[in-house]
Amino acid sequence: MSDDRNPPETATVAQPAHPRDPERGSATTRRDFLQQTGRVGTALAGVAVGSSLGFPVVLRRAEGAKRSITVTWFTGAQLDVFKKEVAEPFEKEFDCQVLVETGVATEFVAKLRAERSNPRHTVVELNEFHLNIARREGLLEKLSPDAISNLKNVYPQYIREDGHGVGVSLNFISIGYHTKRVVPPPESWNLLWDPKYRGKVIIPGRAHSASNFLVIAAAALQTGKPLQEAQYQIDAAMEKLRGLKQQVLNLYVRAPLAVSQIEQETGYLLGGFYSTVLYPYQDKGVPVDMAIPREGTFASLNTVSLVKGGPHADLGMALINKALSAEFQKAHAERAVTAPVIKGVSLAEKTERRVVYGPKRAKEVGLFLSDYTFINDKSAEITEKWDKIFLA
Amino acid sequence: MYSALSGWVTRREQWDRAFLILLLPSVLFLLFFFMVPLLNMVKYAFYTLAPDRTMVPAVSAENFLRFFGRDLYRKILMVTFRIGFITTLLALLLGYPLAYTMAKGKPAIGRLISIVVISPILVSIVIRTYGWMILLAPNGLLNNALLALGIVSAPVKFIFNEPGVIIGLVHIFLPFMVLPLYVSIQGINPALEEAAMVLGANRLMVFVRVIFPLSVPGVVAGSLLVFTLSVSAYVTPALLGGGLTMMMGTLVAQQILGESHWPLGAAMATILVVVTVGLVLAYHRFVEGRSRYLSAMGG
């Protein structure tokens, strides 16, 4: 709010366009131009040198405008749902502005690190791997159930990292397959090793968190142990993965492109794939489906967190509360094919069949939540061993 | 006399000053968007990584030692330069006849070739690479044609390997070879060719003794462009390599985006830049020496 009596700090007293000669109006002289260019040049050079030496460079926004918060969110169908069901109504309700930045989790964590001393973001959406990293680096605030009342409706297993992040949507990772070329449907992760599908298996590249789940599945097959125990057996996993190389057509970089490879029948099996990415293609008539292997499926939880020291934390908490509302959770589930993380949401029958909602369904599909601390600590080792196998 | 000279000097100074002012935006641009990030990258290469994955300012050779101590990384560096070299060679072999025809052939054909060569630049690299994936897939157009003609009995693996990456890179960077070659060949005075023929040289000798030596600056410019672009490529190797063929660009991305190991990623990028610049300088020196030799032979 500002009026004539209390002008905002950025307002300036009216000045003639050229103080030395008002008749010259706004015409710019050569001297003016050179002086201004010199100032801009000096400023830019200062910023450049300053930033290269590690000094924080802060560009401040004009104050006096209505409050705004910056939020990171993943792209795809879920972004549309977030904008329509959370961000837009939230702006009206709280008379503020929600600036949404999109990207990938690695990028979000990199931004939080870079602005650690002066955070610009308030709320950040992450996956569990990066939530674990960000929490351990002290980049996140612990969420307060007093300020975020909807937290009490969340299934306890989806409040993660000692309350520094809460699930906002859940999809599962399993084997995606071509329904006409893979008959009967895969019943075990071991089907990826079946010589019948040699050269028809597409697996995730190391940039995808799904690759970690393939490693765990391989360890379970090699050791015969359940996923919970097998997840710590990296060498056993690598032994099993060595036999997968001859089966592999390629490692996917972009998940949608991998589905189009299945559609074109270049490959038949997606060894470690996201249900939320695959099901929309099924709706478009592509003959694909997600398998439920007997060894289990993996939970892929997208989470939201409050950035430590971020601006307008009160708005951030209110926004997280809205993202945990039954309305948003239902809309997200129906439109992005993800499971709600709160109790008591009624879903359409088709959605209910495709998502892992509630403890009963989680048990049916053997939904497994991995030890992200262990995987993150061993990530470099896994990548190096993985590359040795698949680049050999 | 003195005042005329003094006036000339003043004008010269004014001109120099104006020139410096004109230069300022590009200098600032390069300083801010190229030199600063580059220096930052080199600085990070000497940092270490704390257990919580934050960078620790230091002066350590740890990342360089790790890179050169691993067979895997050295192999990826070798693969990168092998792909860069083969791509450059193929682009030169394919690009020279195109550039020659554009410069010396019938104008209508030259225009047609230039449209064919330049128009792909208007389409995004990602789209073009997707196109290659569809064409070269095991059940793609090319394999289907080869199978239908009975040339092969089983699909040939054209992609998700080194040849696939090279095919994609040659297509994408061919215009960067053709255009400098075209400019270079077009600038050759036709009187030199006529003089050579008057003196008894046949078409082949004219090409070997006159055209090619005089087009070497274009060969150098095109080769350097294609080589440097190829060795630093990311999208095409990532998609057509299918995760089974890795180049330095994809390795750097893996360390920075996947492992959050910025110091190691920065060290890898620094190594790529240093080795590339070294190879480029060596190539430049070799070709210049060769060119002088050919000119001497021709003269």
Side-chain angles (χ1 to χ4, degrees), chain A residues 34 37 48 52 106 116 137 249-251 253-254 257 261 264-266 376 379-380 383-384 387 390-391, chain B residues 21 24 32 36 40 43 52-54 66 70 72-73 75 130 138-139 160 238 242-244 254 257 259:
Chain A
L34 291 177
T37 309
S52 71
T106 317
R116 185 192 291 267
E137 289 188 19
L249 174 67
N250 67 292
L251 283 64
V253 180
R254 287 181 45 77
L257 187 62
Q261 283 185 274
Q264 290 156 24
E265 300 190 8
T266 311
N376 278 327
S379 180
T383 299
E384 220 169 299
D387 282 347
F390 291 105
L391 297 177
Chain B
I21 290 165
L24 192 66
F32 196 64
V36 171
N40 257 333
K43 184 177 75 176
D52 66 358
R53 287 174 186 248
T54 49
R66 183 169 166 191
R70 299 282 201 285
L72 178 72
Y73 298 153
K75 188 183 155 197
Y130 281 178
N139 56 351
F160 308 134
L244 302 169
Q254 185 188 67
L257 297 176
E259 299 304 322

Side-chain angles (χ1 to χ4, degrees), chain A residues 264-308:
Chain A
Q264 290 156 24
E265 300 190 8
T266 311
Y268 297 159
L269 290 158
L270 292 165
F273 205 71
Y274 309 87
S275 61
T276 186
V277 179
L278 192 114
Y279 281 127
Y281 286 89
Q282 198 182 53
D283 289 337
K284 290 177 192 166
V286 180
V288 287
D289 207 347
M290 294 295 290
I292 308 295
R294 60 175 162 268
E295 294 84 8
T297 60
F298 296 90
S300 174
L301 192 67
N302 287 346
T303 62
V304 276
S305 298
L306 196 64
V307 177
K308 186 174 254 179

Side-chain angles (χ1 to χ4, degrees), chain A residues 140-161:
Chain A
L140 307 174
E141 291 281 7
K142 190 165 179 167
L143 301 174
S144 159
D146 297 333
I148 305 170
S149 57
N150 284 331
L151 268 178
K152 66 178 183 296
N153 303 326
V154 176
Y155 285 109
Q157 64 269 36
Y158 301 140
I159 297 175
R160 308 295 292 170
E161 296 295 333

Side-chain angles (χ1 to χ4, degrees), chain B:
Chain B
M1 174 76 179
Y2 174 76
S3 69
L5 187 64
S6 153
W8 184 81
V9 169
T10 309
R11 277 198 302 279
R12 181 64 199 260
E13 280 174 356
Q14 280 173 345
W15 172 247
D16 284 352
R17 210 173 298 146
F19 185 72
L20 282 174
I21 290 165
L22 287 173
L23 206 61
L24 192 66
S26 51
V27 168
L28 284 175
F29 180 82
L30 287 173
L31 176 76
F32 196 64
F33 294 108
F34 179 69
M35 283 312 291
V36 171
L38 189 72
L39 290 173
N40 257 333
M41 181 188 78
V42 175
K43 184 177 75 176
Y44 291 158
F46 292 95
Y47 281 13
T48 55
L49 197 71
D52 66 358
R53 287 174 186 248
T54 49
M55 284 195 292
V56 181
V59 184
S60 163
E62 183 187 311
N63 302 309
F64 295 96
L65 293 174
R66 183 169 166 191
F67 181 88
F68 288 109
R70 299 282 201 285
D71 284 347
L72 178 72
Y73 298 153
R74 290 200 307 270
K75 188 183 155 197
I76 293 171
L77 187 67
M78 290 304 294
V79 167
T80 301
F81 286 111
R82 185 167 65 223
I83 289 176
F85 175 74
I86 297 171
T87 302
T88 307
L89 192 66
L90 288 175
L92 180 62
L93 291 173
L94 292 172
Y96 204 101
L98 290 171
Y100 187 86
T101 313
M102 278 166 68
K104 302 282 182 189
K106 287 180 182 167
I109 295 174
R111 276 196 293 274
L112 182 69
I113 292 175
S114 60
I115 290 168
V116 170
V117 169
I118 294 167
S119 57
I121 298 177
L122 303 173
V123 182
S124 128
I125 288 180
V126 178
I127 305 284
R128 278 186 279 166
T129 308
Y130 281 178
W132 278 114
M133 287 178 77
I134 293 168
L135 283 176
L136 301 178
N139 56 351
L141 189 71
L142 185 59
N143 261 314
N144 284 344
L146 291 174
L147 287 166
L149 293 169
I151 297 170
V152 294
S153 56
V156 180
K157 197 173 180 187
F158 287 115
I159 49 171
F160 308 134
N161 51 19
E162 244 179 85
V165 175
I166 291 168
I167 291 170
L169 290 176
V170 167
H171 172 240
I172 284 160
F173 297 134
L174 190 63
F176 296 91
M177 178 65 83
V178 172
L179 295 177
L181 279 172
Y182 164 71
V183 171
S184 186
I185 296 169
Q186 204 195 29
I188 297 170
N189 188 346
L192 294 172
E193 295 171 58
E194 287 162 16
M197 292 184 85
V198 166
L199 292 169
N202 60 25
R203 287 231 162 254
L204 182 66
M205 280 177 74
V206 170
F207 177 78
V208 173
R209 294 284 182 89
V210 179
I211 306 277
F212 187 76
L214 291 173
S215 68
V216 164
V219 174
V220 174
S223 304
L224 293 182
L225 276 173
V226 173
F227 183 76
T228 47
L229 289 169
S230 301
V231 296
S232 59
Y234 171 69
V235 173
T236 306
L239 293 175
L240 287 173
L244 302 169
T245 294
M246 198 178 266
M247 289 177 71
M248 285 296 285
T250 34
L251 183 64
V252 170
Q254 185 188 67
Q255 288 304 323
I256 289 179
L257 297 176
E259 299 304 322
S260 301
H261 201 321
W262 286 41
L264 183 59
M268 288 168 171
T270 304
I271 290 164
L272 177 66
V273 170
V274 169
V275 178
T276 306
V277 169
L279 284 173
V280 163
L281 289 175
Y283 173 73
H284 214 285
R285 184 163 286 189
F286 170 76
V287 173
E288 264 188 350
R290 212 53 211 147
S291 174
R292 271 198 294 272
Y293 171 75
L294 284 171
S295 299
M297 290 290 287

Side-chain angles (χ1 to χ4, degrees), chain A residues 49-236:
Chain A
V49 172
S51 63
S52 71
L53 295 174
F55 299 125
V57 177
V58 184
L59 301 173
R60 293 201 180 279
R61 279 164 38 80
E63 301 213 354
K66 61 182 174 185
R67 297 201 297 169
S68 78
I69 55 170
T70 306
V71 175
T72 71
W73 213 260
F74 297 135
T75 50
Q78 53 180 315
L79 179 66
D80 297 334
V81 189
F82 174 73
K83 281 186 176 170
K84 288 197 180 84
E85 302 293 330
V86 175
E88 287 169 14
F90 187 83
E91 285 181 330
K92 285 181 193 144
E93 196 179 332
F94 289 86
D95 189 29
C96 66
Q97 198 181 7
V98 178
L99 304 169
V100 184
E101 285 182 8
T102 58
V104 295
T106 317
E107 194 184 324
F108 297 160
V109 173
K111 282 180 179 173
L112 298 189
R113 278 186 194 129
E115 60 195 45
R116 185 192 291 267
S117 57
N118 190 9
R120 193 171 56 82
H121 295 82
T122 303
V123 172
V124 61
E125 186 184 29
L126 295 168
N127 57 37
E128 283 219 69
F129 290 99
H130 290 88
L131 170 67
N132 176 264
I133 292 169
R135 196 267 299 164
R136 290 204 279 169
E137 289 188 19
L139 299 169
L140 307 174
E141 291 281 7
K142 190 165 179 167
L143 301 174
S144 159
D146 297 333
I148 305 170
S149 57
N150 284 331
L151 268 178
K152 66 178 183 296
N153 303 326
V154 176
Y155 285 109
Q157 64 269 36
Y158 301 140
I159 297 175
R160 308 295 292 170
E161 296 295 333
D162 192 28
H164 286 78
V166 58
V168 71
S169 64
L170 172 76
N171 82 109
F172 69 97
I173 288 173
S174 171
I175 301 171
Y177 66 98
H178 192 294
T179 50
K180 290 179 184 159
R181 297 288 172 191
V182 183
V183 183
E187 291 174 355
S188 163
W189 284 88
N190 218 16
L191 194 77
L192 301 178
W193 278 260
D194 189 332
K196 191 173 149 194
Y197 297 111
R198 189 170 181 160
K200 293 292 181 185
V201 177
I202 300 169
I203 63 170
R206 277 299 289 156
H208 285 277
S209 54
S211 66
N212 289 310
F213 302 131
L214 177 60
V215 171
I216 298 172
L221 292 172
Q222 182 72 11
T223 60
K225 292 178 179 169
L227 299 175
Q228 178 62 39
E229 288 173 54
Q231 66 180 325
Y232 303 108
Q233 309 290 319
I234 294 173
D235 287 333

